[in-house]
Amino acid sequence: MPQKLTETALLLCDKGAKPSQLKVTSQTFSKAENKLIATEQDKQPETNVPSFGVCTVTRSKCTPAVVKWDKTTEKDTINNFKILTDESTCQCSVGGKISVQDKGHTEKHEV
């Protein structure tokens, strides 16, 4: 079963130089292990998805340009937004694919 992502989840971009830590701003009340649960609305560059260092496509500082999160929950939502899971990915409009390295918590919070 997919596991919910929380605000300390580590993200990787296949075109970036280093991991990035997800920041949740889409909601303020639903938590797992006292950490906010991420939704499909957590996709703003620098606000939710910080830089992955140097981008191999542009050869300059990465500025994530998230289009849309894929592989979110089908039925579970927070504020009518689908929840992100450890299987969620998103495409960066610059060319990279962002995936989850670590879900951000230790307990099982299945969706």
Side-chain angles (χ1 to χ4, degrees):
M1 290 288 297
Q3 304 287 306
K4 293 177 184 176
L5 287 192
T6 60
E7 68 178 341
T8 54
L10 276 184
L11 305 177
L12 283 177
C13 177
D14 64 0
K15 304 295 185 209
K18 65 181 182 79
S20 175
Q21 194 170 62
L22 181 67
K23 174 84 172 110
V24 174
T25 59
S26 64
Q27 58 90 16
T28 58
F29 57 89
S30 190
K31 297 181 178 184
E33 290 183 14
N34 214 24
K35 298 173 188 172
L36 293 171
I37 296 171
T39 75
E40 63 186 337
Q41 287 302 105
D42 293 310
K43 61 182 181 181
Q44 302 308 312
E46 300 301 338
T47 301
N48 302 118
V49 183
S51 173
F52 292 97
V54 176
C55 177
T56 60
V57 175
T58 63
R59 300 196 191 300
S60 61
K61 181 182 182 279
C62 158
T63 302
V66 176
V67 179
K68 173 184 175 289
W69 282 102
D70 296 312
K71 298 183 183 174
T72 56
T73 57
E74 290 298 314
K75 296 177 183 167
D76 288 338
T77 63
I78 299 172
N79 286 345
N80 293 319
F81 300 133
K82 294 178 181 176
I83 297 171
L84 299 185
T85 74
D86 56 356
E87 295 178 357
S88 296
T89 61
C90 59
Q91 194 65 42
C92 174
S93 62
V94 177
K97 182 174 183 178
I98 299 168
S99 60
V100 179
Q101 180 180 32
D102 182 87
K103 64 186 182 283
H105 57 86
T106 55
E107 290 181 26
K108 280 193 167 191
H109 295 280
E110 296 180 356
V111 288

